[in-house]
């Protein structure tokens, strides 16, 4: 469980970026679906209808501006208190309840989702999956798994990899790309790009308050300062757009009246 909490926006980093993605889009979607089933057993899901509907509506608006394949994107809420989110190959996006309760405005929530949509649109999970599978089984067995079982082998492989957390750790380059594309998706969907910058400022403040939780993260991860500087530079071209909404404020008030997150007591 802890592994999934520390990945996502606050991602660990591996040094290598592979060029080849050996998994087809169809396999990727199937793998993501299987992995998401697995995820539902490991992550406490927040099912309040008002909150979930809101997240899906924001997500759907972002997806319209996402480049690349038309993945079957889905949006779920994890009943976890941190500011974090994660995505799986081929469409599934999860956002922590903590993002909704801690965000100061709607554009910050949309920014988190846009970052995860960008990982999927750029096939970062498929890339990670390929690397993980090659490392674990070798190229020959990977080909056999994906080639002759009509997708069942791929799904099985994904489920087994997911338990090791392999596909959730993106590289530094992939994070930078998701930041940049996420900013573009966010603003093209009509939200104010400042939401993305504010989100990183909040993460930075959180990191300075809870140093012990980020020591390992800082040893291998692109520094939040670098990402913030990069995004701020991009922002100068992307001002304007929706910053907040009455609906977000109403969802936030609704959330505040509900019992606190199961994992956050
Ligand atoms: Zn990311």
């Amino acid at each position: 469980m802890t592994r999934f909490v520390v990945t996502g926006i606050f991602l660990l980093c591996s040094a290598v970026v592979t060029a080849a993605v050996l998994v087809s889009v169809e396999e990727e979607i199937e793998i993501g679906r299987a992995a998401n089933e697995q995820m539902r057993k490991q992550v406490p899901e927040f099912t309040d209808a008002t909150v979930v509907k809101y997240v899906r509506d924001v997500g759907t608006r972002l997806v319209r501006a996402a480049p690349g394949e038309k993945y079957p994107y889905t949006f779920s809420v994890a009943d976890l208190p941190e500011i974090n989110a994660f995505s799986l190959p081929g469409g599934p996006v999860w956002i922590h309840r903590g993002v909704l309760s801690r965000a100061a405005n709607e554009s910050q929530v949309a920014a988190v989702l846009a970052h995860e949509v960008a990982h999927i649109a750029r096939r970062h999970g498929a890339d990670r999956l390929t690397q993980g599978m090659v490392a674990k089984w070798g190229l020959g067995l990977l080909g056999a798994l994906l080639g002759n079982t009509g997708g069942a082998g791929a799904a099985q492989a994904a489920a087994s990899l997911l338990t090791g957390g392999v596909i959730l750790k993106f590289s530094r380059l992939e994070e930078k790309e998701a930041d940049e594309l996420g900013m573009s998706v966010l603003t093209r969907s009509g939200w104010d790009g400042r939401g993305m910058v504010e989100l990183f400022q909040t993460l930075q403040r959180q990191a300075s308050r809870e140093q012990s939780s980020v020591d390992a993260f800082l040893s291998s991860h692109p520094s939040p300062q670098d990402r913030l500087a990069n995004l701020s530079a991009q922002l100068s071209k992307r001002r304007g757009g929706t910053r907040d909404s009455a609906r977000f404020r109403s969802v936030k008030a609704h959330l505040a009246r509900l019992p606190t997150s199961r994992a956050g007591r």
Side-chain angles (χ1 to χ4, degrees), residues 8-11 115-116 119 170 174-175 178-179 227:
I9 288 276
F10 250 10
L11 286 157
H115 177 96
E116 297 306 324
H119 275 307
F170 297 121
E174 285 167 337
E175 283 310 316
D179 285 348
R227 293 173 78 178

Side-chain angles (χ1 to χ4, degrees), residues 239-252:
R239 282 186 185 281
T242 305
R243 189 153 170 76
D244 206 1
S245 72
R247 189 174 173 202
F248 173 68
R249 289 194 297 277
S250 144
V251 164
K252 207 173 142 115

Side-chain angles (χ1 to χ4, degrees), residues 200-218:
F200 274 89
Q201 288 166 338
T202 306
L203 283 171
Q204 226 174 0
R205 279 197 300 274
Q206 182 175 279
S208 64
R209 272 202 310 269
E210 299 162 39
Q211 189 59 45
S212 62
S213 69
V214 294
D215 277 348
F217 159 78
L218 289 175

